[in-house]
Amino acid sequence: MITGSKLSVPHGSGELVKDVVYYFLVNDAAVNRVRLVQFGEEGESAHLITLTGQSFEQALRAGSIVELEGMDSCPPWLIDSDGLDTAYRERKRSSPKETYHSKVDRRFLVISELVEKASSILASENVEAIINAHALRYEPIQNKQRVRLWFLTYMVFGRNKWALMPRTKNIGRWDRNEKTTKKLGGPSSDGSQSGFPVTPDMKAKILFGYKAETCVRRTQSEIYGAVLTKTFKCKIRRIGNDVKFYNPKGLPFPTINQFWYWVNQLTNPSSLATELKGKALARAKSGSHGKFADSLSNLNQVVEFDGYNPEEKLKGLTEGSAVDGFTVVRAVCVFSAAVVGIGFARSSEDMEAYRMALFSMAVDKVKFAELFGVTIQPGRWPALGLPLNIVFDRGPAATMPVEEASDWLARIELTPTHDGQAKATVESSHVKKKKNKDQQRYVHSTHNFVEMSRRHILQVIKDNDSSNAEALMHEEMLSHNFAPSPTNIWRYWDQLGRNRGTYMGFDDAVRKFLTLCPATILRDGVYFHGRRYISDALVEAGVFDRVARNGRIAIKAYALTMCVRHIWVEVDGRLHELNFFQTAGTKPSSSDITLYELEELGRLRAASIRRLKAQKPVIDQEVNGEFKDQTGKEWHGGTAKLGRRVKNASVRRDQHDYNLSGGKKS
């Protein structure tokens, strides 16, 4: 159960109202408090319901509170426009007085201070009193009920500011670039009007610059100065006795306090200490941290990512020979030891594999497996939700644009180089290779890339069901009499609402994590690297009727790089899932190829067309020569004459002779 899960109370429980849908907000084990939210039918109000952790979990076990199937990626009053692209909606508006961006930013600005302190606010005794005081303190004074609605809506529905859209018809999804009109925090030494607010773009630059310039040989002041001059392109100016940074183009840049505050917020404190002090000094000044999961209380609170290479050599596409290059990236929840996401790369680790792993975490696992042609039963791989904190090594994943994850991610931790213990949970979950001292050998697998991906998806289910996670079992679990597997531990905590994951709608996950590639719509389907894809929904949308008039339409398609059984195209603001069109003569296994193999087939197809084009004049001359050798006449022998054919007596005699020799009957 993650934030945004829907609950019903069939029998009534305490202050909860019978037959009303509640949205789960947080189960804070530290203060033994569970928060639920009840929204008005039309989104006119929001009420926070507080229960103790014990009473909530007892009600779940007794069936007094029931989790409803399915999740909403946006508030119920906006559900009709769920999945609609914001830019498309903006284009369709006629003479708007205020853009959708302005509407949402204006509301988010009111609650931005509450959002920054959300954890402490939701852990307090009287949440509504804090929200009300903020509404009265804000200038101009805000309506208390409205501010409470905005804040709770934002927190419940994936911290997505577009959930704050007003209740108007055909509302869609929008870009998530937050705007802040003033610098937060205490005033600068240069005055209250100096300085810039820390926007998501500035946060991304801060993290990028920190990762590029941090070094144990540099002081914090030197790192800050290097980031401002290299990443923020600042110059130095001396005014009297003062020397200051400035940007020649007037672009914003952080103060030193803002910089180090957000470095601390966006990175792990222990990792930060190691990077600034060195591994030995940081360890010497730290105490024992115990087990990795000791400080955690929820699923999806911290998820570690890492990749490994299976020992088998895969089957090549054209010749079937043994080829190098297959990497599996796994994401493991530290609190449960369950593998919660998986991605694949055709060679070494790359960002595509990590994005695929995040995609697998964001969507239902039954759907994710189906995209590879794997059928699993609902609940077999129960993990769902994007994590609150993620741990990457300093590989390709370290380049992930932070602004893309600003709506669901709280912190990225970059582990020290060559330190597997920094992410021991995921390291220990990798499939082990059996070693011996015999002569070196390799395994030439019968599997291609897609088939190996299928095997490793099922390997995750096998590991989650059979791995020994007894060290993570709490005493209260023992009485429930289940095996100490990661899957069982996950189910136990998830049923009690101990899941900090953020839900994301499938369309949003496709747009955010999958690869965008060129495609073409023709009158009989969508062609993607020479392959034809089709869907009934696209036919019903009348797209092919438009193409029949215009000939062809160039578009962009989203693809899962390691398996192109399906692609997704956006038409009129909505995503459509397309299936590979198989003719009667198509081999059933031909759909199981990667994007890279499809691109190679496209190159081979283009090369074969070029080869035929080059051979055509040669073949023409070859056959023309054979005709001349056998008849003594030219292929195009004859004389061209003007006018119509003359029908005189000689022509009639020749026609009569032709008919008698077995030609046309007279």
Side-chain angles (χ1 to χ4, degrees), residues 119 159 207 262-271 292 295-306 330-335 338 340 354 358 361 385-393 400 402 405-415 422-423 425-426 490 499-502:
S119 296
R159 293 178 179 246
L207 185 58
W262 282 107
V263 167
N264 277 280
Q265 292 296 312
L266 297 171
T267 59
N268 182 272
S270 60
S271 178
F292 288 92
S295 60
L296 306 179
S297 59
N298 288 278
L299 304 171
N300 272 326
Q301 191 171 347
V302 175
V303 172
E304 297 177 351
F305 288 73
D306 195 37
R330 278 185 163 193
V332 176
C333 169
V334 178
F335 188 59
V340 296
Y354 282 87
L358 289 168
M361 298 169 68
L386 291 166
L388 187 66
N389 302 289
I390 58 180
V391 180
F392 287 149
D393 57 21
M400 187 182 81
V402 181
S406 60
D407 52 333
W408 54 268
L409 182 62
R411 173 182 292 168
I412 294 178
E413 177 187 347
L414 299 176
T415 61
K423 49 184 191 314
T425 305
V426 67
W490 177 283
N499 192 330
R500 296 296 296 275
T502 300

Side-chain angles (χ1 to χ4, degrees), residues 388-630:
L388 187 66
N389 302 289
I390 58 180
V391 180
F392 287 149
D393 57 21
R394 292 184 176 275
T399 63
M400 187 182 81
V402 181
E403 64 273 11
E404 293 185 5
S406 60
D407 52 333
W408 54 268
L409 182 62
R411 173 182 292 168
I412 294 178
E413 177 187 347
L414 299 176
T415 61
T417 308
H418 304 298
D419 187 359
Q421 291 301 312
K423 49 184 191 314
T425 305
V426 67
E427 293 276 4
S428 62
S429 76
H430 292 334
V431 179
K432 303 299 185 293
K433 299 178 182 178
K434 188 175 181 180
K435 298 180 180 180
N436 55 45
K437 297 183 179 181
D438 295 341
Q439 183 178 352
Q440 181 179 353
R441 64 184 64 187
Y442 70 93
V443 177
H444 183 179
S445 176
T446 59
H447 305 318
N448 59 26
F449 284 94
V450 176
E451 291 166 343
M452 185 62 76
S453 300
R454 289 177 174 176
R455 196 185 85 175
H456 281 275
I457 289 174
L458 295 174
Q459 180 74 50
V460 167
I461 297 175
K462 180 195 295 185
D463 291 346
N464 281 346
D465 286 346
S466 61
S467 298
N468 185 357
E470 186 273 334
L472 299 177
M473 290 279 286
H474 290 221
E475 292 181 357
E476 60 202 72
M477 299 180 183
L478 301 177
S479 61
H480 292 273
N481 194 27
F482 58 78
S485 68
T487 296
N488 289 335
I489 293 176
W490 177 283
R491 287 182 179 137
Y492 176 84
W493 291 121
D494 191 52
Q495 290 169 357
L496 300 179
R498 296 281 198 91
N499 192 330
R500 296 296 296 275
T502 300
Y503 177 70
M504 180 180 289
F506 184 81
D507 288 355
D508 271 351
V510 169
R511 291 186 178 108
K512 187 174 288 289
F513 297 121
L514 297 193
T515 302
L516 200 57
C517 305
T520 304
I521 303 180
L522 300 181
R523 62 188 303 170
D524 61 339
V526 176
Y527 283 82
F528 184 67
H529 292 289
R531 277 201 166 189
R532 181 184 172 195
Y533 290 79
I534 195 72
S535 80
D536 294 338
L538 209 58
V539 174
E540 294 173 1
V543 174
F544 300 112
D545 295 335
R546 284 182 252 170
V547 176
R549 295 191 294 269
N550 301 323
R552 61 193 294 138
I553 299 177
I555 59 169
K556 294 289 186 179
Y558 294 93
L560 195 64
T561 56
M562 292 304 293
C563 188
V564 287
R565 298 167 64 92
H566 310 278
I567 61 172
W568 294 263
V569 299
E570 190 168 299
V571 177
D572 294 337
R574 292 196 181 276
L575 279 182
H576 296 268
E577 182 177 301
L578 280 63
N579 303 319
F580 167 53
F581 182 78
Q582 291 182 309
T583 63
T586 304
K587 292 182 179 180
S589 62
S590 62
S591 61
D592 296 334
I593 63 174
T594 68
L595 174 61
Y596 313 109
E597 292 170 327
L598 184 59
E599 291 173 343
E600 179 61 24
L601 288 177
R603 286 190 288 269
L604 293 174
R605 182 181 292 106
S608 66
I609 293 173
R610 290 194 300 269
R611 187 179 296 110
L612 177 62
K613 185 176 180 180
Q615 290 178 358
K616 187 177 186 308
V618 181
I619 295 172
D620 287 344
Q621 292 304 312
E622 181 185 35
V623 176
N624 290 353
E626 291 174 353
F627 178 78
K628 185 175 181 179
D629 292 341
Q630 296 177 25

Side-chain angles (χ1 to χ4, degrees), residues 128-148:
E128 294 192 4
I130 297 175
I131 298 175
N132 294 344
H134 170 78
L136 297 176
R137 188 173 60 251
Y138 194 86
E139 294 183 2
I141 295 176
Q142 300 292 314
N143 180 282
K144 295 182 290 186
Q145 179 173 310
R146 192 174 298 130
V147 172
R148 184 168 64 249

Side-chain angles (χ1 to χ4, degrees), residues 31-93:
V31 293
N32 189 30
R33 193 174 292 127
V34 175
R35 306 286 194 182
L36 308 179
V37 180
Q38 175 196 349
F39 292 106
E41 293 183 2
E42 297 298 327
E44 73 283 355
S45 63
H47 300 285
L48 193 67
I49 309 297
T50 301
L51 302 172
T52 65
Q54 291 91 338
S55 61
F56 177 71
E57 294 173 4
Q58 289 172 3
L60 285 174
R61 294 189 182 103
S64 300
I65 297 178
V66 178
E67 182 178 5
L68 301 177
E69 292 186 2
M71 293 188 62
D72 296 334
S73 57
C74 67
W77 52 91
L78 302 179
I79 201 68
D80 289 341
S81 56
D82 186 26
L84 195 61
D85 182 59
T86 308
Y88 173 77
R89 280 295 178 197
E90 289 281 18
R91 292 195 301 268
K92 288 297 183 180
R93 300 179 73 195

Side-chain angles (χ1 to χ4, degrees), residues 25 37 39 43-47 75 77 102-112 114-115 131 134-135 138 140-157 159-167:
L25 182 54
V37 180
F39 292 106
E44 73 283 355
S45 63
H47 300 285
W77 52 91
S102 299
K103 290 177 184 290
V104 173
D105 287 336
R106 179 164 41 81
R107 293 186 172 190
F108 180 77
L109 183 60
V110 175
I111 64 169
S112 59
L114 297 173
V115 171
I131 298 175
H134 170 78
Y138 194 86
I141 295 176
Q142 300 292 314
N143 180 282
K144 295 182 290 186
Q145 179 173 310
R146 192 174 298 130
V147 172
R148 184 168 64 249
L149 171 65
W150 294 344
F151 174 67
L152 294 177
T153 301
Y154 177 83
M155 296 303 299
V156 166
F157 295 102
R159 293 178 179 246
N160 179 0
K161 73 173 185 177
W162 296 107
L164 303 179
M165 277 297 299
R167 301 184 301 277

